[in-house]
Every structure is written in C-alpha cells, then in structure tokens.
Amino acid sequence: MARNIQSLERAAAMLRLLAGGERRLGLSDIASSLGLAKGTAHGILRTLQQEGFVEQDDASGRYQLGAELLRLGTTYLDVHELRARALVWTDDLARSSGESVHLGVLHQQGVLIVHHVFRPDDSRQVLEIGAMQPLHCTALGKVLSAYDPVAHSEALESDRKAFTDRTVCDLDAFEQILDITRARGYAADVEETWEGVASVAAPIHDRRRMPVGAVGITGAVERLCRDGELRAELIAAVRDCARAVSRDLGAARF
Amino acid sequence: MTDAHTAGIASHGHGPFIAAIDQGTTSSRCIVFDRDGRIVSVDQKEHEQIFPKPGWVEHNATEIWTNVEEVVASAIEKAGITRDDIKAIGITNQRETTLLWDKNTGEPVHNAIVWQDTRTDALCRELGRNVGQDRFRRETGLPLASYFAGPKARWLLDNVEGLRERAEAGDILFGTMDSWVIWNLTGGVDGGRHVTDVTNASRTMLMNLHTLEWDPKIAESIGVPLAMLPEIRSSAEVYGEITGGKLGDLLGGIPVASALGDQQAALFGQTCFSEGEAKSTYGTGTFMLMNTGEKIINSYSGLLTTVGYRIGDDKPVYALEGSIAVTGSLVQWMRDQMGLISTAAEIETLALSVEDNGGAYFVPAFSGLFAPYWRPDARGVIAGLTRYVTKAHLARAVLEATAWQTREISDAMTKDSGVELTALKVDGGMTSNNLLMQTLSDFLDAPVVRPMVAETTCLGAAYAAGLAVGFWTNTDDLRANWRRAAEWTPRMDAEIRDREYKSWLKAVERTMGWLEDEE
C-alpha cells in the first residue's frame, strides 16, 4: 500500500476534533491536542478554511466546522431551481436568437430536458420538458459529456447509435469532439441527430464551478448556419446566456 | 438581478426607447424597453416597510420619491442613453396605497397608508351602515373593505391634527402613488400636475364607474372633500413633462404619458385587449383579471368590477378581478413553517416524486376564504388524510390548491360575464413551476400561456406611454410584440377532473364555520 499523505491525515484529525456538538477551539488547543507545531496546524486550518470546511469566529478567533461540510453529499442543484434561475435569461436568448431554447441535465444515460422556451414566432410548438436526448450527438449532450465526468463515462458506455449519416459514433472521433468542446467552450450539432436541424450549446456551472447543466438553441440548419458554418453571433448569444445563468447560480446564497 | 440583458443579436442598441417606472409595494423599479418590447436595462431599489402597530403598514413617500429618482437615473445610465433616446415615460404602481401631501411645501402630511393596512376595518363597517359592505358597490364596483383608498384618506383627515381644516382650505392634495410620482415628476410645488388615471381612481371607492368622475355623494358619505382629489385622466395620454429636480436636469422635457395600477398594467402588458381575454399573476398571492370590454359587469360571485384601462379618448375598457390570498405564500409556508422543502422550487421536485395527491386536499384558508366565498370564519384544512399520504402527496396538494382556486375564480368570471375562458395568460414567479402550469391547464380545461417577457407590469406601463406619444401606432402593434414562451394544454380526463373538483369543493366546505364567533 502506498504511503499515506500526512497532511491529509492531520486535516482529517482536525475535522474530527471539531466535530461532535457545537465546538469551537482555538489554534493552540488544536495544535496541542494533535501534537503539532502551531505553524503546521495553522497552515492546515487555513487551507481547510479556504475550502469552506472550517470557519473562524471573527470575535474569538476560534475555529469551528464550516458550512461546506454540510453541503457535501447532501446537496445537488435542484433542477427546478435551475429552471427558475434560468427563466429570464433563456427567454432573452430565444428572443434575441429567434430560435427555441432548451436546458438539459444529465439523467441516466441521456440528457433530460428540464426547460424549453418556444421559438418566438406564431407557429404551433409543443412543450418538450421531460423529453430525453442522446448524449453523444446533441449539442447539449456533448457539452455535458465534455464537462461532467459522470456524463462522459455514460456516453462512453452507451451504444452511440447513428441517427443520420453525420452522427459521430467512433470513440476516438467522439473524444476529439469533446476536446474541441472544452477548448472552445461550446458544442455544436449540425444534422448529427436530426436531418435539417442544427443546435449550439454551452455549459452552466454552479458557484463551485461544477457543471450542472447545458443550455442551447435548436433550429433549422439554414437559419443557424451561414456558408456551412454556425453563425458566430448565435454562438456568442448562447455562451452569454450560459454565463448569465452561471453567474446567477454563483450569486445565489445556499 | 439588475444586469442589462446582454445576449442581444437582434440589436436593441439603437433607440428610441420607452422607460417605465413600477412603484411597487416593496420596491421601486425602472425598466427601459426598446420598440420590440425587449428589456434594455433595469434598476430597482427597495424601501422600508413601516409597521407602527399590528395590522398597520406604512411607507415613507419621501423615501419612495427619492428612490424613484435614483432608479430612473440609474436605468438610463445603465442603458447608456440620453434624453433624446427616450420618447416617453410611463408609470405603474401599487394600487390603493394612499397619501396626502401639502401642495405648497410638497411634504407628505403623514406616511402613506399601504393597501394591506387594516386600520380602516371598523370605519368601513361603520360606513356600511344598515346596508353592509355592498353600500357603494353598484357605483364603484367595490365592496367596503379596508384595501381601498377613500376610507384611508378619511382616516388621515380624522387623525392628523388640523388636517381637515387645511384640506378644506385647499392646501392638501390626495393621491395614490401614481399621482404622487406624476406630481413630483412634472415639477412638484412648481406647477406639478395633480392627476390620476381611471384604473387607479377605480380603486378609491370614490369614482363612479359609469361616469368615470368622482362621485360627490359617495365622497361626502365617506367624508373626503372633492377639492383635494386629483383630476381623473385616461391611462395613456401626456399628463405633462419631466420638469425640475434631479430628473429635470437629466430628462427634462420627456413626456409623462401613462399611469396604470399594477394589475391593470399586467393585463395591458399581456395584451389582453379583447373581451374574454384574461391574465393571472402568480406571486405570494394571485390576481386574475378578465377584460369585459365596454361592459360594466356587476358581480354576484364576489368579484370586483374595475376599470381595465382607457387609451386617450377611446371608450374605457372594464375588467372583472378576482384575487387569491394564498398561493406562492403556501409554498413558502411549506418551506419555512413546515420545513418540508429547502427552496420554493423544490416543491415541484417533491410533488413529482408521486403520481397524484394520494387523496389529500389542502385548502389554505389561512385568513378566511376570499373570492368567490368571502367567509372570514373559514380556516385552513388538509382533508382526505390516510396512513398512505406522504409529504410528496401534500406537495401535490399544495400546487393543486393554487390551480383549483384559479378554477373557482375563472368559474365565477364565467358566471358573471357569460364569457368562457378561452386561454389564460400567466406571469409571475410561480410560472417557472412546470407541474403547476400543467395542472392549471388540466383543471381549467384550457390552454395556459406564458409570454416571453416576464416583466408584464412594467411592459404594460411602457406600452400605454408609447401609444400616447405615437411610438406604437395601435394595440395591434403591441400584439405583434407578444411572444409565446411556453404553452401548456389540458391532458386530463374530463371524468377525473370532475371527480377531483368535487373532492376539492368538499374540502373547501370543511373549512367554513371554524371560527364560531367572528369579531
């Protein structure tokens, strides 16, 4: 067995020391209980504090467990909270791009559509909330696969079916697309899932930079592309929207 | 979230623009809109809620005016535009909140009395004499209730020392918040226009719905001198120009061109311009208004009759209004008092974990039943409980309560007006709840439609101001701006709907008579 990392062991011991009831301890108490030099103990405490696992009381200077510990394991972003936060920004994206907007999250082996804004024309459209999209070929799916490791492994394990003759099914080619996605900050799907349909999507991050979903526009390839390329201003609009929602989640208090 | 929306492709960087002020219950906001009705910039500032005694709620009108000046200046600055880019400014406001001020000094004589304030309960009962709360309903469309402005003005005249004499000498002006903002915008003590619009006037209990003039007999009965009342104007016309003060420097000369009470502004912003069109705003409580065209419909089902809007010299358009006291606040109650969820949005997650309500019905008659029952002796009930029911079923029942209450208001509107609801336009925070919107459509058996601009209140004020100055030509222009963001269509079996409605009505019955001796 490889050697354990001493500072992690010490950090774990500190957390145990602070746990159990509402305990607040001073630096010297902590250092002496664990048989550490004050400087060593302080360095570890400061790191834990930065990560939010430990908080220091302003008045007494004593340490206690931080709120981040409570969040670990118990919290995930509720998808309905995500929709509520995204509402104004996705409306604006639909309005400015003239296309329909979808917001998707990873669910089992695919993308679950949790929010849908109609294309702003008078055509008859059906709300697609609750629908599933494949991970390997849609813009939303590629974004999730590129940024969320769980989505990534799901995509690798899936059978990556060909929906059109442009669908990329080959593993290496797929991984390459994900690399490009991460490098550019967005993913595209030009007739890879549906004939005649293109989409662009970008990632939404929460305040801890965790990927929580993807937002994108979908529409006729003739409108989204010009000279065979996705229109740059549409890509910019999608990315602006994703950033705005991310900012909103970051500003949100727990 | 006061950022300017920056996603624009279809550019809204070029003017001209319309600005709208929303002087609301908790904050004042200013939004700048472009010709397509898109938001260019927003600024907002909250003001203090003053609670001098239980049941009393006041606002400092001087603070409010300062905030209005600030948010207007800041929204203009954020939009990066100047006075030449702005064609007009419109106003929407919290309704019924009442202020008296000295026309010579511009100083309020007392804090504004807010619509929720119940200090005039006893006065209203007294004013009902032997007739009861419907004494002025035929003329004003309203029951005698503490919300409305006339009795609040009377309370001030009775309780602020020396005020009645000053009012009779002609030194005191009365106004709802629209009047206060317009008077200050147009110069204040230096020739400010003392006006109100028909929608705000229709919430005073002093205006006759048929003549759209102050009713001298009612004013005398309530005890409010006509001399201090503002001139009643339409909702969309130029009342004056921005003059003097901080905003005079920045925006002097811009026409002040609309005023609408907040719920009426939302009706206008949702472009409910045809008879039978209705909107419902889902917030803490819910307000549903239906356009009844040129007809004044007396309600026999406990709804209010009110002016919807009036554009310039056009004929006035009337509306029926029904309100639900507890909707969003029931979700908050589940979160804060019951601790069953940690955020309001989680109610949907919890509710979706089960297929149905498990037989449970929740009637949140926390302070009695409102429209269409008006039973103050009722209190909340959760009915149909069995060992099987979980918190998830209760979450369903919570959402269904909002939908059933809407259905009851809608039924009352149909009964009074003879017009069937064809579709319901919705706005407000709860419209992000997909399950609620689908349930609403199922229970109403009608499509439910959400527009793309959530800020329908401000948009309505901007629309009215834009019409007044010819920025938009007519209501067809505005309809063309309206965009559907989502639509929910009914998916429920008629048989199930009828059975569920019956159960709901049974649960409602069980709330009544809980308090045995009201008063």
Side-chain angles (χ1 to χ4, degrees):
Chain A
M1 199 172 120
R3 232 183 51 160
N4 288 341
I5 297 168
Q6 195 184 33
S7 55
L8 277 179
E9 284 177 341
R10 286 172 172 170
M14 273 181 200
L15 292 176
R16 275 192 211 101
L17 195 63
L18 291 166
E22 289 183 23
R23 312 229 301 183
R24 283 183 186 173
L25 296 171
L27 175 61
S28 23
D29 297 334
I30 296 172
S32 64
S33 309
L34 298 176
L36 296 172
K38 264 194 185 179
T40 313
H42 185 249
I44 294 171
L45 281 167
R46 211 181 46 210
T47 310
L48 286 172
Q49 198 181 350
Q50 263 166 15
E51 295 295 328
F53 294 149
V54 159
E55 284 167 9
Q56 192 176 15
D57 182 58
D58 283 339
S60 63
R62 286 164 176 261
Y63 292 92
Q64 61 190 10
L65 290 183
E68 189 66 24
L69 277 174
L70 300 175
R71 291 188 194 116
L72 272 182
T74 56
T75 62
Y76 59 99
L77 180 70
D78 186 282
V79 295
H80 301 108
E81 182 75 29
L82 177 60
R83 184 199 298 138
R85 301 259 176 201
L87 204 70
V88 283
W89 307 108
T90 46
D91 275 6
D92 200 59
L93 177 59
R95 200 119 201 207
S96 65
S97 66
E99 301 296 343
S100 65
V101 175
H102 291 87
L103 185 70
V105 299
L106 176 69
H107 180 68
Q108 292 162 354
Q109 282 84 48
V111 182
L112 173 69
I113 302 301
V114 295
H115 181 47
H116 172 199
V117 184
F118 288 171
R119 184 172 63 249
D121 55 25
D122 279 336
S123 65
R124 208 102 217 103
Q125 295 167 70
V126 177
L127 211 55
E128 289 166 19
I129 294 172
M132 293 289 291
Q133 288 187 5
L135 276 173
H136 67 287
C137 55
T138 60
L140 294 173
K142 289 180 204 175
V143 165
L144 293 176
S145 306
Y147 288 91
D148 181 349
V150 182
H152 182 241
S153 66
E154 293 290 355
L156 296 195
E157 282 167 23
S158 73
D159 55 2
R160 295 192 301 283
K161 197 175 129 201
F163 292 97
T164 71
D165 50 17
R166 300 185 61 161
T167 311
V168 177
C169 307
D170 173 68
L171 185 60
D172 290 340
F174 178 60
E175 290 286 14
Q176 222 171 356
I177 287 176
L178 299 187
D179 284 340
I180 296 172
T181 301
R182 279 184 291 265
R184 297 192 301 198
Y186 69 91
D189 161 11
V190 181
E191 297 191 273
E192 290 170 51
T193 316
W194 304 281
E195 301 280 358
V197 174
S199 61
V200 193
I204 296 171
H205 292 101
D206 70 4
R207 51 176 203 86
R208 285 171 288 172
R209 299 297 301 162
M210 294 294 287
V212 290
V215 64
I217 57 173
T218 304
V221 67
E222 298 80 14
R223 288 195 307 265
L224 263 66
C225 297
R226 190 184 294 131
D227 306 325
E229 294 286 326
L230 278 162
R231 289 163 56 200
E233 66 273 27
L234 291 176
I235 296 169
V238 169
R239 298 189 66 192
D240 280 343
C241 175
R243 270 193 291 264
V245 178
S246 302
R247 219 174 25 233
D248 221 331
L249 293 171
R253 288 192 39 218
F254 172 67
Chain B
M1 189 170 24
T2 53
D3 281 13
H5 291 212
T6 50
I9 310 246
S11 168
H12 51 67
H14 312 290
F17 304 99
I18 299 282
I21 296 167
D22 178 1
Q23 201 302 294
T25 305
T26 54
S27 71
S28 301
R29 318 203 295 150
C30 179
I31 301 185
V32 177
F33 292 95
D34 71 4
R35 194 180 290 276
D36 296 332
R38 286 186 63 199
I39 293 171
V40 178
S41 66
V42 185
D43 197 50
Q44 174 166 353
K45 198 162 184 207
E46 292 194 1
H47 54 258
E48 193 190 350
Q49 306 292 316
I50 303 162
F51 305 108
K53 286 187 191 182
W56 291 27
V57 191
E58 298 179 354
H59 290 161
N60 177 339
T62 308
E63 179 193 4
I64 284 180
W65 169 242
T66 310
N67 287 359
V68 167
E69 285 184 300
E70 273 178 38
V71 297
V72 171
S74 162
I76 302 293
E77 191 199 336
K78 282 186 188 176
I81 57 180
T82 65
R83 98 178 69 185
D84 299 332
D85 301 319
I86 302 221
K87 289 297 152 205
I89 191 160
I91 289 136
T92 177
N93 56 289
Q94 51 170 324
R95 303 179 301 173
E96 298 122 13
T97 295
T98 302
L99 183 71
L100 300 188
W101 70 95
D102 187 314
K103 76 172 181 192
N104 305 309
T105 64
E107 296 292 330
V109 301
H110 188 276
N111 280 335
I113 303 182
V114 179
W115 59 276
Q116 301 129 322
D117 188 299
T118 54
R119 77 183 67 184
T120 52
D121 268 345
L123 176 61
C124 286
R125 275 197 298 276
E126 185 193 314
L127 287 168
R129 291 200 312 206
N130 50 350
V131 190
Q133 60 169 6
D134 286 343
R135 182 176 170 201
F136 305 122
R137 195 191 264 271
R138 208 161 45 86
E139 295 84 0
T140 66
L142 308 174
L144 264 164
S146 62
Y147 297 117
F148 306 112
K152 290 185 198 291
R154 156 77 181 273
W155 187 94
L156 287 168
L157 291 168
D158 287 352
N159 289 277
V160 179
E161 215 185 301
L163 193 57
R164 188 166 286 279
E165 293 72 43
R166 286 161 72 193
E168 274 157 10
D171 290 330
I172 298 297
L173 302 178
F174 158 92
T176 37
M177 297 319 282
D178 54 315
S179 301
W180 171 242
V181 171
I182 295 172
W183 188 78
N184 279 296
L185 279 174
T186 56
V189 290
D190 298 317
R193 306 296 163 83
H194 187 219
V195 297
T196 187
D197 94 297
V198 282
T199 67
N200 278 295
S202 76
R203 315 298 290 193
T204 57
M205 280 205 102
L206 300 170
M207 187 186 79
N208 186 307
L209 281 177
H210 303 262
T211 61
L212 301 182
E213 299 287 346
W214 301 121
D215 189 309
K217 266 164 103 177
I218 294 176
E220 202 193 321
S221 306
I222 295 182
V224 174
L226 286 175
M228 67 183 208
L229 300 181
E231 187 185 345
I232 302 174
R233 307 278 287 266
S234 80
S235 319
E237 64 176 284
V238 177
Y239 309 123
E241 291 176 350
I242 294 183
T243 317
K246 189 176 155 189
L247 290 180
D249 298 338
L250 193 67
L251 299 171
I254 289 175
V256 180
S258 76
L260 287 154
D262 50 12
Q263 297 305 327
Q264 280 90 340
L267 185 75
F268 207 82
Q270 285 271 27
T271 66
C272 294
F273 300 132
S274 302
E275 190 176 332
E277 286 191 291
K279 74 90 202 175
S280 199
T281 303
Y282 291 88
T284 318
T286 289
F287 291 89
M288 181 166 166
L289 271 76
M290 180 194 254
N291 180 327
T292 61
E294 291 165 16
K295 290 196 286 265
I296 299 174
I297 292 175
N298 288 317
S299 177
Y300 297 96
S301 318
L303 304 173
L304 307 182
T305 311
T306 197
V307 181
Y309 57 88
R310 182 183 196 179
I311 304 169
D313 294 331
D314 292 359
K315 286 190 173 156
V317 171
Y318 294 91
L320 277 173
E321 173 175 324
S323 52
I324 309 170
V326 180
T327 51
S329 53
L330 182 57
V331 177
Q332 289 165 0
W333 181 84
M334 289 286 277
R335 181 192 64 195
D336 301 336
Q337 257 97 324
M338 294 294 105
L340 291 176
I341 45 175
S342 62
T343 67
E346 261 180 53
I347 191 85
E348 188 175 355
T349 313
L350 186 55
L352 279 171
S353 65
V354 288
E355 294 281 306
D356 56 30
N357 61 20
Y361 299 82
F362 195 155
V363 189
F366 290 163
S367 42
L369 285 169
F370 290 65
Y373 301 101
W374 300 103
R375 289 286 297 261
D377 61 333
R379 283 300 177 268
V381 154
I382 302 176
L385 290 180
T386 59
R387 185 69 200 267
Y388 171 74
V389 171
T390 66
K391 63 178 180 175
H393 294 117
L394 291 185
R396 280 253 168 192
V398 160
L399 296 180
E400 291 182 359
T402 293
W404 284 128
Q405 291 180 93
T406 308
R407 165 74 188 263
E408 290 192 289
I409 302 270
S410 158
D411 283 359
M413 285 183 174
T414 303
K415 202 164 131 200
D416 283 338
S417 68
V419 182
E420 289 271 351
L421 184 75
T422 48
L424 181 65
K425 291 177 170 179
V426 294
D427 49 62
M430 284 182 102
T431 57
S432 73
N433 190 315
N434 188 62
L435 178 62
L436 173 62
M437 294 298 110
Q438 182 60 52
T439 307
L440 194 54
S441 174
D442 287 343
F443 289 3
L444 290 171
D445 195 20
V448 167
V449 189
R450 181 175 80 79
M452 217 159 255
V453 174
E455 305 293 349
T456 52
T457 306
C458 266
L459 186 61
Y463 277 170
L467 280 179
V469 297
F471 184 72
W472 289 290
T473 323
N474 51 42
T475 51
D476 289 343
D477 268 12
L478 304 179
R479 272 188 199 280
N481 269 344
W482 193 88
R483 295 278 182 281
R484 190 190 314 262
E487 175 167 347
W488 293 266
T489 47
R491 293 199 298 224
M492 189 176 241
D493 229 43
E495 219 172 286
I496 297 176
R497 176 187 307 116
D498 293 345
R499 194 188 66 213
E500 288 293 307
Y501 196 15
K502 229 182 188 168
S503 302
W504 162 262
L505 292 172
K506 265 200 300 201
V508 169
E509 225 162 82
R510 277 160 178 69
T511 65
M512 297 182 197
W514 179 259
L515 296 192
E516 295 193 347
D517 195 8
E518 180 61 13
E519 289 168 52

